[in-house]
Structure formats: C-alpha cells, structure tokens
Amino acid sequence: MYNMGASTKPGYDIANKSREIVKSLIDDKTKDLTYEERDIVERVVHSTADPDYASLVKISNDFVDSALKSFNNKEDILTDINMVKSGITRYDGKVSCYIRDELSRKMAKSEDITRSAAAIRVAVEDGFKGVVAIGNAPTALLEVIKMHKANEIDVKAVVGVPVGFVGASESKELLSKTDIPHVITTGPKGGTPIAVAVINSLLNINKN
Amino acid sequence: MYNMGASTKPGYDIANKSREIVKSLIDDKTKDLTYEERDIVERVVHSTADPDYASLVKISNDFVDSALKSFNNKEDILTDINMVKSGITRYDGKVSCYIRDELSRKMAKSEDITRSAAAIRVAVEDGFKGVVAIGNAPTALLEVIKMHKANEIDVKAVVGVPVGFVGASESKELLSKTDIPHVITTGPKGGTPIAVAVINSLLNINKN
C-alpha cells in the first residue's frame, strides 16, 4: 500500500488506484530502474499527472543511498521556497527555508543577487548540512553548485528540479555534471510538486 | 514589468524574460481572452513551463470579476493543502487551510471521508466566506460543490485544479457545470503551482 500523504481509508484507496494507473502508463520507461528509483519516478508522475516526467527525471546512481543516509542521520533538508517545505510534513529532522528571512532580503540587496541565491548562503551560515531540494529557482541551484565547488557547503544530495524557460535547463545540466548525488528533470519542466514527490518518496521508503 | 514573486533586480529580469518566452509560445491560444484571463494563463504556463496548459485552462466568464471583488472585500482564501497556502504570500486578507487541523482529522475518521473533504467542512464551520483554491484533492472540490448545492457554503469563486488520474477530471467537469465562477484544467493535469499561479495573477492585477 502506498502512503502518498493519505491518512484515511478513502484517501489511501484513491492513492493506490492512482499509482496502479501511473505504473501502467510508464512501466516500460522505468523497468531498468531500482525499486527506490522507480518509486521516485512513479510518485513524480502521480503528483503531476504528467507521464512525460518518466522520460525527464534523471537520477544519479549514488542519489538514493546518499540521500537516505542523510535522512537516517537526521540531517537537514533545505528548500528554496516555502511551497516545497510545506509539502514535506513527515520528516523527523529539520526542514528549513530562508527565502523570507530578513538576512536573505538584506544580502540579496547588498550583493545584487536573487533572494533565492542569498537564502542558500544564509542557510549555510546557519549551519546547514544535508539534502537540498530546489523546485523553483535556478539561481538557488547555481548557488549550491558554486558553493560546493568552493567546498563551502556540506551537501549530501540535491533534488534540482527548478522550472522555467530562463536558466532552469542550464542550471540542471550543470548539476548533472558535478559529483553531487542528484535528481534533475531535463528541459524547462520541473517545479515544487516534483521536488516534494522525490523527497517524500524516500522518506516513505525509509519508514517502511 | 511582471511581479512574479521576484523582489530583486536579477529576479525581476528572469521573470520578465520568462514571460516574454511564454507569450511567444502560447499567443495564438490566448488572443481571444481578456487581459486578466490572459495573465492567468500565461502565469500558469510560466510556473509549470508546460505550454499544454494554454489549452487546458478554462476560465468561466464571471470568474475574474467575482474573485477580484472578493479579494477587494478582503474575504478569505481557503486552500485544500498547505502547499497552496504557502504560495499565496501577498494577500492582505486571511489565507487558511484546515487539512492539519485536529477537527479535520477527527471528522474524517468519524464520517469516513477524506481529510481533504473534512477540512472544507471545518472551514465552513469556522466562518469561511470567499474564494476556494484547490490544487490537490478532488474530494475537497466535490465537497465544495456539494455544500454549494445545499446552500451551506458562501463561496464566491473556485480555482478547481486538482491533479491526478482518479477523480480529478470528473470533479473539475462537475465544477464547470455549476453556477460557481471558476477556473479548471481539463483532464488529469493540474496541481498546486497552477492553483497558486491563478490566485497570484489576480492579486498582482489588484495591486497594479
């Protein structure tokens, strides 16, 4: 039985029926994946009702192990915007987002960077260590990559699925060329539900 | 200049460039819409990077006026899940979500309904009056429709864009046949970014 945020019998029934339909739609595209990777892809398609994601989601070989280890160690989950944070409700560790932090606002102005990028730096100053989930802002993802290259961030895995026609594809391609364990979606598509689906898939596996 | 959640010069530049690309992709599909309706559709495509939404979003003729009037009167915005609530950060009125309310949990168990449906009933008991935004749960949308037919809910407009392969299409089709001013997406696709985009489009128009 799939736990997809449902907490009642009618809720579970809907979630299970949906997952069976998802499986039937994308089975041929996920057959070479591990159990955990298949769960991630199915959950993304479930949460978007968009089977295209079965072809767009790319998971690095070390992603599942690295992210699960971080979760088991109760390290942090850092998100780019609060919508992603709001979707992660079943984690025992800290889930944080600094986009609306006063420090992020000030740093964005003083450094002439986006508030999304500033929020990553503020998180690091606040002691972040763990998994980053980016569902919206390419500039946040670029900041993570930059800080990783400079050995300034202790990041164990990145769910990098920013959305949009300006900079999103490029930022994801850059991530895929780093040694950071990662999930990306190729092309402009992505978004907060995809970031949430990837994280919740692993958290759910972790509890079963 | 488009305000799409950006608060810095680099953020605005990205948002503006993206909107120009979106316009070029879907211009032929939005040319018969009003200014406000076009802004809604463009913002949905911007937030999903999925031009298909230009064909899927259906806006009733009375939606923009009814929703704007409700916002001007500072009535409530009720969301089905917290991800939608988190995305609506620039409203002066109350933005609420009862999905994690203890009363919703209890009612779901006792009535054998989903927690999403129970959360709508709890909101009404708490005095809800205004616009409903549903980005996830078909059962929440069905509850709104049922209560509207029974004259039990004071709803001025519904953004009904639940996502999924089980019940979502049907619930949206039902909404489109009521007299409630509405936005839907036809078919299984939809989701929290679409609900947020529709609401934020109108809130932004309201401030300009």
Side-chain angles (χ1 to χ4, degrees), chain A residues 18 48-49 83 86 163 166 188-189 193, chain B residues 18 48-49 83 86 163 166 188-189:
Chain A
S18 171
T48 56
M83 277 185 75
S86 295
V163 59
V166 181
K189 278 162 85 170
Chain B
S18 170
T48 55
M83 279 185 74
S86 295
V163 59
V166 181
K189 279 163 82 170

Side-chain angles (χ1 to χ4, degrees), chain A residues 77-81 84-85 88 116-117 120 131-145 153 155 157-163 168 171-172 175 183-185 189-196 198-199:
Chain A
I77 300 176
L78 172 64
T79 71
D80 61 338
I81 58 172
V84 177
K85 184 182 168 189
I88 304 167
S116 304
I120 299 295
V131 176
V132 176
I134 291 173
N136 187 63
T139 56
L141 179 51
L142 293 174
E143 192 63 32
V144 172
I145 295 168
I153 184 170
V155 61
V158 172
V159 181
V161 294
V163 59
S171 71
K172 292 181 280 191
L175 174 62
V183 175
I184 63 162
T185 48
K189 278 162 85 170
T192 54
I194 291 94
V196 168
V198 175
I199 297 288

Side-chain angles (χ1 to χ4, degrees), chain B residues 10-207:
Chain B
Y12 279 122
D13 290 347
I14 294 168
N16 279 310
K17 197 172 163 197
S18 170
R19 279 293 283 264
E20 291 309 317
I21 296 171
V22 167
K23 273 178 192 291
S24 71
L25 289 172
I26 65 171
D27 234 12
D28 58 319
K29 284 182 181 138
T30 57
K31 61 181 187 301
D32 295 329
L33 300 179
T34 65
Y35 171 81
E36 291 84 359
E37 290 167 349
R38 204 159 52 226
D39 191 84
I40 288 171
V41 174
E42 284 174 9
R43 195 161 179 137
V44 168
V45 172
H46 165 86
S47 71
T48 55
D50 185 348
D52 285 357
Y53 278 107
S55 312
L56 302 179
V57 173
K58 305 292 176 194
I59 307 171
S60 74
N61 290 332
D62 49 5
F63 173 76
V64 168
D65 284 351
S66 189
L68 282 180
K69 190 175 166 194
S70 180
F71 295 158
N72 281 325
N73 290 334
K74 306 264 183 295
E75 292 178 351
D76 309 330
I77 299 176
L78 172 65
T79 72
D80 60 337
I81 60 172
N82 281 305
M83 279 185 74
V84 177
K85 184 182 167 186
S86 295
I88 304 168
T89 57
R90 296 172 191 217
Y91 186 50
D92 300 327
K94 181 175 158 193
V95 185
S96 60
C97 173
Y98 292 79
I99 189 83
R100 298 187 76 77
D101 194 290
E102 185 59 19
L103 285 174
S104 304
R105 199 190 59 75
K106 281 185 185 164
M107 187 189 286
K109 296 269 180 216
S110 65
E111 306 283 324
D112 197 28
I113 56 178
T114 66
R115 207 167 54 176
S116 304
I120 299 295
R121 293 195 203 172
V122 171
V124 169
E125 286 175 8
D126 200 30
F128 163 77
K129 174 183 176 175
V131 175
V132 177
I134 291 173
N136 188 63
T139 54
L141 180 51
L142 293 175
E143 192 63 32
V144 172
I145 296 169
K146 203 175 87 181
M147 294 188 88
H148 170 71
K149 284 188 177 159
N151 279 314
E152 291 170 349
I153 185 170
D154 192 356
V155 60
K156 302 301 170 58
V158 173
V159 180
V161 294
V163 59
F165 297 104
V166 181
S169 298
E170 296 81 352
S171 70
K172 291 181 280 191
E173 204 183 326
L174 262 182
L175 173 62
S176 74
K177 289 175 180 165
T178 67
D179 60 356
I180 308 173
H182 63 268
V183 175
I184 64 163
T185 48
T186 54
K189 279 163 82 170
T192 54
I194 292 94
V196 168
V198 174
I199 297 289
N200 284 343
S201 165
L202 291 181
L203 292 179
N204 193 45
I205 285 169
N206 235 7
K207 294 204 171 162

